[in-house]
Amino acid sequence: MCLAKTIFMKIAIPHWQGRVSPVFDVSDGLLVIDIKDGRQVRRESIILCRSDPFARAKEVADLGAEVLLCGAVSHVLERALMGAGVEVFSFICGDLEAVLDAFLRGQLDDDRFLMPGSCAKWRRAKN
């Protein structure tokens, strides 16, 4: 995703104790951040209610999220999110603020944000 061409977007990040939640499928806290011209303009913390993968994907999409930055996610939920129009960057770990900042700067592919033992598909496509 090229942020230079983006005027407005919503990013969703599941979180737990100030970090990206390790498994999105069971995470209930979601931070939704409005970005305008590459800068944060609004934040809202949401509690997710749905656990069914398709209902959860709809819940995230209904919030207007265009991008989800998350830790591990089941294949079914990832596909449901993509089908709902949400671009998924999975197997991300780290401090919530550092991850968000790296994404906004186009540096999320730094190895320090990759969950140990994973090889995120979206990263392989870039290399």
Side-chain angles (χ1 to χ4, degrees):
M1 171 163 281
C2 180
L3 292 179
K5 296 179 183 177
T6 301
I7 295 171
F8 181 82
M9 73 168 14
K10 279 190 185 237
I11 300 171
I13 308 173
H15 62 93
W16 183 71
Q17 295 185 350
R19 299 184 60 79
V20 175
S21 183
V23 182
F24 179 55
D25 297 63
V26 296
S27 177
D28 60 357
L30 187 70
L31 185 62
V32 179
I33 305 131
D34 292 347
I35 305 295
K36 184 173 183 180
D37 298 325
R39 299 184 159 261
Q40 299 178 52
V41 294
R42 184 173 173 269
R43 289 178 167 225
E44 183 177 7
S45 192
I46 305 287
I47 301 297
L48 295 172
C49 302
R50 308 291 181 172
S51 59
D52 171 78
F54 297 99
R56 179 165 277 228
K58 183 177 180 339
E59 188 175 16
V60 172
D62 286 350
L63 293 169
E66 299 164 71
V67 172
L68 177 74
L69 308 178
C70 65
V73 60
S74 68
H75 183 70
V76 171
L77 180 51
E78 181 179 31
R79 299 296 292 177
L81 286 159
M82 293 182 334
V86 179
E87 186 173 7
V88 179
F89 292 83
S90 56
F91 298 99
I92 302 293
C93 67
D95 174 79
L96 185 82
E97 299 304 325
V99 166
L100 177 60
D101 184 55
F103 177 77
L104 293 175
R105 288 183 291 123
Q107 298 175 344
L108 193 58
D109 57 355
D110 186 308
D111 286 344
R112 69 186 168 127
F113 300 116
L114 180 62
M115 288 184 82
S118 67
C119 54
K121 293 174 279 191
W122 63 269
R123 291 175 197 232
R124 263 185 288 170
K126 288 183 170 182
N127 296 327

